[in-house]
Amino acid sequence: MSDLQEEGKNAINSPMSPALADVHPEDTQLEENEERTMIDPTSKEDPKFKELVKVLLDWINDVLVEERIIVKQLEEDLYDGQVLQKLLEKLAGCKLNVAEVTQSEIGQKQKLQTVLEAVHDLLRPRGWALRWSVDSIHGKNLVAILHLLVSLAMHFRAPIRLPEHVAVQVVVVRKREGLLHSSHISEELTTTTEMMMGRFERDAFDTLFDHAPDKLSVVKKSLITFVNKHLNKLNLEVTELETQFADGVYLVLLMGLLEDYFVPLHNFYLTPESFDQKVHNVSFAFELMLDGGLKKPKARPEDVVNLDLKSTLRVLYNLFTKYKNVE
């Protein structure tokens, strides 16, 4: 092994730093003042990090299913701009003026530049920090690629549930005066769903979840009592708020009971099987709520389907405040 490779390993495995077993020799062959970053292997084993990668992979493959593109590894399949181009075109409903296939590094970077400029035009008005670049994406920097995908998923309101508070330890290796120096920084990939969606206004449920879990159980019991008072008329019973409203059926039936009308069965799926059918049901229930004079729910239908308890409670509490005296 060359001195430089040995030097790199020594720097990376320096005291106070966990050993990086998967650092490749090319990662330590740096020019003077050049910097290389990599995710600490222990962070890659974190269950929330693995979940984030899987959710994003599944989402990309769902979006691109008609293109017959299957992404298996984010850094290896997205770095050249080809898949990112198809993803953005599909999400934004646009066509980018780029060469279809480019083998050369220059051509790939030119394509990436065009794709990322289009992304920036979409995201810049929202004031989001753009934590990626042509060089970092083309350099297969997984942290940069994840930042990009999370931003796209949030902007296009992807029907997915990203794990909250995912952070990774990143090792930064820099060459100065012929020696390699390493440091560790923590990189936050996701925050809370509300903040990522741009909904910064907090409400009583945020406070309940964060500071008063004992009171939360009281609220849940009150809401279960409320919904069962009406659903029992159809011989239906709720015991679990987060799961039993997730397919939208009980929400639709509850609106019919509260407003005293029969909801035609052809308007919704009584036994929904797919994610889209469940989203249809919850969206339809939201429309019935608007027709009944309620404000548009703060929650997204996708959040309710994805078993997000806070979103489900917000929807049910809105119904409770309006209809609590209805017999």
Side-chain angles (χ1 to χ4, degrees):
M1 186 176 283
S2 72
D3 291 342
L4 182 58
Q5 290 176 24
E6 197 64 52
E7 190 183 290
K9 287 195 170 180
N10 290 339
I12 291 166
N13 295 334
S14 59
M16 306 303 291
S17 302
L20 292 187
D22 65 347
V23 173
H24 300 292
E26 62 266 25
D27 287 334
T28 59
Q29 294 175 345
L30 305 179
E31 300 294 326
E32 184 65 23
N33 288 323
E34 190 182 350
E35 187 176 277
R36 188 90 28 106
T37 62
M38 60 211 85
I39 298 176
D40 188 313
T42 55
S43 288
K44 285 189 174 181
E45 294 305 311
D46 183 280
K48 288 174 78 171
F49 176 80
K50 286 183 171 181
E51 183 189 355
L52 176 64
V53 171
K54 183 182 185 304
V55 168
L56 290 171
L57 268 174
D58 291 346
W59 171 57
I60 293 170
N61 287 326
D62 283 345
V63 172
L64 297 179
V65 65
E66 293 177 3
E67 301 286 335
R68 297 183 179 178
I69 292 172
I70 298 177
V71 175
K72 295 181 178 178
Q73 200 173 358
L74 294 177
E75 59 267 59
E76 293 298 331
D77 294 341
L78 269 62
Y79 80 95
D80 63 359
Q82 182 77 13
V83 173
L84 283 174
Q85 173 207 338
K86 297 293 184 186
L87 181 66
L88 185 62
E89 287 179 341
K90 197 77 174 173
L91 292 170
C94 65
K95 185 72 177 168
L96 298 178
N97 185 23
V98 290
E100 276 303 309
V101 180
T102 51
Q103 300 294 342
S104 70
E105 180 178 332
I106 293 175
Q108 289 172 350
K109 286 189 172 183
Q110 286 174 340
K111 171 178 277 195
L112 263 177
Q113 182 74 37
T114 303
V115 173
L116 293 183
E117 282 176 1
V119 171
H120 297 172
D121 288 343
L122 287 170
L123 300 184
R124 197 174 285 119
R126 298 185 65 155
W128 285 4
L130 308 178
R131 301 163 76 174
W132 56 83
S133 65
V134 170
D135 287 337
S136 62
I137 301 292
H138 195 267
K140 303 180 184 179
N141 183 321
L142 183 54
V143 171
I145 291 169
L146 288 170
H147 277 309
L148 172 60
L149 293 175
V150 167
S151 296
L152 286 174
M154 290 296 101
H155 177 78
F156 288 105
R157 303 177 74 85
I160 57 177
R161 183 84 189 159
L162 295 176
E164 298 184 341
H165 299 298
V166 179
V168 291
Q169 287 293 315
V170 176
V171 183
V172 183
V173 181
R174 181 193 292 267
K175 188 167 188 178
R176 286 200 302 268
E177 298 177 359
L179 294 174
L180 293 174
H181 301 267
S182 69
S183 59
H184 282 63
I185 57 172
S186 181
E187 187 84 18
E188 190 177 54
L189 297 172
T190 66
T191 55
T192 64
T193 301
E194 280 91 348
M195 288 191 70
M196 289 188 289
M197 292 302 299
R199 289 185 235 143
F200 295 102
E201 69 275 13
R202 289 174 59 80
D203 61 14
F205 284 102
D206 292 306
T207 307
L208 274 178
F209 271 76
D210 293 345
H211 305 295
D214 52 326
K215 292 181 181 175
L216 182 62
S217 61
V218 176
V219 172
K220 287 171 71 174
K221 283 178 185 173
S222 299
L223 291 176
I224 286 174
T225 303
F226 163 70
V227 297
N228 280 334
K229 182 172 99 172
H230 300 283
L231 289 174
N232 285 348
K233 298 169 188 172
L234 299 176
N235 293 320
L236 300 173
E237 178 121 12
V238 170
T239 55
E240 285 288 329
L241 292 177
E242 53 266 70
T243 55
Q244 289 182 268
F245 285 97
D247 64 7
V249 176
Y250 279 15
L251 268 182
V252 172
L253 296 176
L254 184 58
M255 281 309 302
L257 290 163
L258 293 171
E259 285 288 336
D260 197 24
Y261 55 69
F262 175 76
V263 182
L265 297 181
H266 65 263
N267 282 348
F268 67 104
Y269 299 95
L270 197 56
T271 54
E273 295 176 0
S274 69
F275 185 87
D276 287 343
Q277 288 177 352
K278 294 174 184 177
V279 170
H280 168 88
N281 282 356
V282 178
S283 299
F284 177 56
F286 283 10
E287 289 175 20
L288 298 180
M289 292 173 199
L290 289 172
D291 291 344
L294 284 159
K295 289 182 180 178
K296 184 179 179 182
K298 181 179 176 183
R300 298 187 311 154
E302 292 86 356
D303 294 334
V304 175
V305 175
N306 275 323
L307 309 180
D308 180 52
L309 178 59
K310 199 186 293 185
S311 297
T312 305
L313 290 179
R314 284 186 174 120
V315 173
L316 294 176
Y317 189 72
N318 271 353
L319 297 180
F320 174 75
T321 52
K322 175 167 174 138
Y323 297 104
K324 60 189 173 188
N325 296 321
V326 172
E327 290 302 321

